Amino acid sequence: MSRPSGEATTAETPGDKARHRRGFWLLWLATLISGLGDGVRFVALPLLAATVTRDPVLIASVTVAGQLPWVVVGPVTGVLTDRLNRRRLVWQVAVFQAVLMGVFAVSVAGGAAGVAVIAVAAFLLASSETLSLNLSAALIPELVDERRLSSANSWVQGGQFVMSDFVGLSIGAVLFGFAPLLPFAVDSVTFAVAALLLLAMGRSGKPTEAVPKVTLAVVRADLAEGMRWLLRHRLLRTLCGLIAVSNFAVVGVTAIAVLYALEVLRVDRTTYGLLMVIVAVGGLAGLVTAPWLSKRLGYGGVLRVTFALMPVPFFATGLTATPLVAAFSFFFVGASISLGNVVSISLRQELVPAEMFGRVNSFYRLLALGLGPLGGACAGVLADRFGLHAPFLLGGALLTVTVLAAVPLLSERAVTAAKEAKAKKTKDQEAKDQVTGG
């Protein structure tokens, strides 16, 4: 397996370390800027859909369209992450996203953005995000020391959360009130700025092996290799299954959240945006505390606490029509998601071989996020037949059962054993390479 372009093959010099630090902060800043647009778009899309229809199934279809790419596109983008030049591809994806949202803004201005158009735009953008997020996750271990992965992931995800779920959501609701096209025009500009920052990252400055041609046979073989690696890894396999059920529940309630806020909580569109900000505040709290908790409880301890508490806000929200109770519940959901995300990506970055990261990570996301579209579709049907509380109660019940089954397997002892096993394999491979002259 050849090493992806942009990954160093020899020992780093002080100059290399300086370039890597600069590259990380450029990546962080690009994530920050594009995160602003993400937040603006996130609150504007369901509001735009709600102006076209109040049918829960149709509105949920927009969320489903945004989740499907993780199933049908994500695995292929994982192969591209491993096979192509990561630093070049990451800014090219941002350019595509800028053009896509620019065209969508024009369609909104022209009154041509019906539910079908919104769903197509959500699908195409999410398809590109499966690649950009995979590239970003793969680049971070190239730019920072392994001991700082948790902190680096918190910086990247924290910056994105602040701009997306805190600043962006507030701005998006206000912009939509002025003109529906404004949030999407802003999103297009943020992608363009991010592309310029990512372009400035440049190359690693290290020689790399030639990148082989990506054929259909190569894609199939790489996908099979990544799938086998993940399914054989007990810790990551268990964590992936737990996150898959969590994603089913979270996407389900997200799909009908705008209707829940407008019709059950009886709040206006601006207050709905503020409720999404509260989710962001919880998410930011989780991101800020993730490195601190990881050092004191270990990855296993953080995962156990996080998932054990997650069913509580689902039941609370499913049993209330009070905005204040819903706000507290949204806060804890946001915090749980952030803690789980930081620990999950940090574990993958530490445990998955660098040359296989894209494929394994994409297959992990396929399984972890694959239930999302089903969750959105089920939530739409449940809300239509049994009321808008039903998706929250179903999510809480599913999480309770899954947590009781999976959390005991996510101990700190299991995490330590997985790290030691990887270290042993790496050492054995290095010894073999020395013997063979590889």
Side-chain angles (χ1 to χ4, degrees):
M1 174 65 195
S2 63
R3 191 180 298 271
S5 182
E7 183 178 332
T9 58
T10 59
E12 287 189 332
T13 66
D16 294 329
K17 293 180 180 180
R19 281 193 296 272
H20 285 177
R21 285 195 297 270
R22 176 177 177 272
F24 172 77
W25 290 115
L26 284 170
L27 177 65
W28 175 78
L29 188 56
T31 303
L32 204 71
I33 298 299
S34 62
L36 172 65
D38 290 342
V40 168
R41 180 186 70 254
F42 182 81
V43 73
L45 273 179
L47 288 174
L48 180 63
T51 63
V52 177
T53 179
R54 286 299 180 98
D55 186 331
V57 175
L58 290 179
I59 289 180
S61 70
V62 174
T63 300
V64 172
Q67 292 292 318
L68 274 177
W70 295 104
V71 179
V72 299
V73 180
V76 177
T77 61
V79 174
L80 297 179
T81 299
D82 286 342
R83 291 282 178 174
L84 301 181
N85 187 307
R86 292 171 178 172
R87 300 196 187 199
R88 180 170 64 235
L89 194 57
V90 73
W91 68 260
Q92 291 174 338
V93 173
V95 170
F96 169 80
Q97 292 170 322
V99 173
L100 173 63
M101 292 314 300
V103 172
F104 183 70
V106 171
S107 71
V108 173
V115 173
V117 173
I118 298 172
V120 169
F123 179 86
L124 292 176
L125 186 62
S127 296
S128 64
E129 285 184 337
T130 65
L131 181 54
S132 63
L133 291 177
N134 220 345
L135 288 165
S136 177
L139 283 169
I140 289 175
E142 297 182 19
L143 300 173
V144 301
D145 185 84
E146 184 177 285
R147 295 169 297 177
R148 299 174 181 171
L149 280 178
S150 180
S151 178
N153 287 317
S154 291
W155 270 97
V156 171
Q157 294 186 29
Q160 186 177 37
F161 250 87
V162 169
M163 298 303 289
S164 174
D165 295 9
F166 191 70
V167 179
L169 287 178
S170 302
I171 294 177
V174 174
L175 290 177
F176 190 89
F178 281 109
L181 74 92
L182 285 179
F184 309 108
V186 168
D187 194 24
S188 176
V189 172
T190 61
F191 278 129
V193 174
L196 293 175
L197 292 169
L198 294 169
L199 179 60
M201 286 176 62
R203 298 176 181 270
S204 65
K206 292 291 183 180
T208 57
E209 299 176 17
V211 178
K213 184 178 180 180
V214 180
T215 64
L216 183 59
V218 168
V219 171
R220 285 200 300 262
D222 281 2
L223 288 177
E225 188 179 9
M227 177 182 66
R228 286 194 299 269
W229 193 99
L230 177 61
L231 294 180
R232 290 172 180 170
H233 199 286
R234 182 181 181 184
L235 176 64
L236 292 182
R237 183 181 68 227
T238 301
L239 179 58
C240 183
L242 183 54
I243 291 182
V245 176
S246 301
N247 190 61
F248 177 94
V250 171
V251 173
V253 299
T254 301
I256 51 87
V258 63
L259 292 181
Y260 174 82
L262 298 177
E263 298 183 8
V264 176
L265 302 181
R266 302 292 184 181
V267 299
D268 56 25
R269 291 182 299 179
T270 301
T271 305
Y272 163 72
L274 293 177
L275 286 173
M276 294 300 100
V277 170
I278 291 175
V279 177
V281 173
L284 179 60
L287 290 168
V288 170
T289 58
W292 182 84
L293 287 174
S294 296
K295 289 180 180 179
R296 283 153 181 81
L297 301 179
Y299 287 155
V302 173
L303 289 174
R304 284 187 165 191
V305 172
T306 297
F307 288 110
L309 294 177
M310 187 172 284
V312 176
F314 279 84
F315 284 123
T317 310
L319 297 172
T320 189
T322 305
L324 185 60
V325 174
F328 277 112
S329 299
F330 287 176
F331 175 90
F332 283 110
V333 168
S336 298
I337 292 173
S338 290
L339 285 170
N341 284 342
V342 170
V343 172
S344 175
I345 187 62
S346 297
L347 274 175
R348 297 200 298 278
Q349 289 168 341
E350 289 191 31
L351 298 177
V352 180
E355 68 274 10
M356 292 185 62
F357 183 85
R359 286 164 288 163
V360 175
N361 192 52
S362 65
F363 192 72
Y364 181 99
R365 287 182 177 274
L366 166 64
L367 297 179
L369 302 178
L371 290 180
L374 181 60
C378 287
V381 174
L382 280 174
D384 186 46
R385 294 186 178 182
F386 302 106
L388 291 165
H389 281 115
F392 293 93
L393 296 175
L394 175 64
L398 288 175
L399 283 170
T400 300
V401 173
T402 307
V403 165
L404 290 174
V407 163
L409 301 176
L410 301 177
S411 65
E412 187 59 22
R413 179 180 298 179
V415 173
T416 301
K419 291 181 180 180
E420 291 175 348
K422 186 200 175 183
K424 184 178 184 301
K425 288 182 180 179
T426 302
K427 185 176 180 180
D428 291 345
Q429 184 61 47
E430 290 174 351
K432 182 179 178 181
D433 289 343
Q434 289 179 354
V435 172
T436 60

